[in-house]
């Protein structure tokens, strides 16, 4: 693969979506703490059926969750669920 054809990871992560990815990382950390007994290796999401993420995404799109969750919390959780689904899909394909 030529250099110009390689993904621009730094640009995407540090410039285009910096704030959004920080919020998703914060949300990931909250989930890691909440499910610490199941997620000691940070791979707990791989032990959940992919279909569960459909339900989680819909709940967050509808704003259903903990009473103190804000719109930002739901947006970050929805993005996290989308990334989890995508990662599981890609791992299954390889």
């Amino acid at each position: 693969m030529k250099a110009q054809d390689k993904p621009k990871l730094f640009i995407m992560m540090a410039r285009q979506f910096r704030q959004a990815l920080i919020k998703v990382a914060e949300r990931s950390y909250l989930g890691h703490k909440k499910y610490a007994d199941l997620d000691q290796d940070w791979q707990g999401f791989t032990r959940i059926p992919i279909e569960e993420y459909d339900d989680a995404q819909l709940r967050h799109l509808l704003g259903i969750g903990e009473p103190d969750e804000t719109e930002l919390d739901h947006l970050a959780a929805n993005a996290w669920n989308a990334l989890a689904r995508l990662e599981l899909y890609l791992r299954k394909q390889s």
Side-chain angles (χ1 to χ4, degrees), residues 71-87:
E71 181 179 6
L72 176 58
D73 294 328
H74 288 296
L75 288 168
N78 191 43
W80 186 93
N81 280 286
L83 287 170
R85 287 190 87 253
L86 178 58
E87 182 66 24

Side-chain angles (χ1 to χ4, degrees), residues 38-91:
L38 304 171
D39 196 34
Q40 294 175 3
D41 60 357
W42 288 85
Q43 296 297 303
F45 77 98
T46 65
R47 295 184 273 281
I48 297 170
I50 196 169
E51 298 80 19
E52 293 289 325
Y53 296 110
D54 294 330
D55 288 333
Q57 279 188 282
L58 186 54
R59 282 194 304 273
H60 287 291
L61 281 172
L62 296 173
I64 300 169
E66 301 298 322
D68 61 339
E69 285 185 309
T70 66
E71 181 179 6
L72 176 58
D73 294 328
H74 288 296
L75 288 168
N78 191 43
W80 186 93
N81 280 286
L83 287 170
R85 287 190 87 253
L86 178 58
E87 182 66 24
L88 291 173
Y89 175 84
L90 293 170
R91 288 183 186 194

Side-chain angles (χ1 to χ4, degrees), residues 1-11:
M1 181 180 284
K2 296 179 183 180
Q4 68 266 23
D5 296 332
K6 292 181 181 177
K8 305 295 184 200
L9 296 176
F10 178 80
I11 290 171

Side-chain angles (χ1 to χ4, degrees), residues 9-25:
L9 296 176
F10 178 80
I11 290 171
M12 190 279 295
M13 296 170 126
R15 292 191 182 159
Q16 288 182 317
F17 302 112
R18 179 181 173 273
Q19 293 181 73
L21 290 172
I22 289 170
K23 291 300 175 191
V24 171

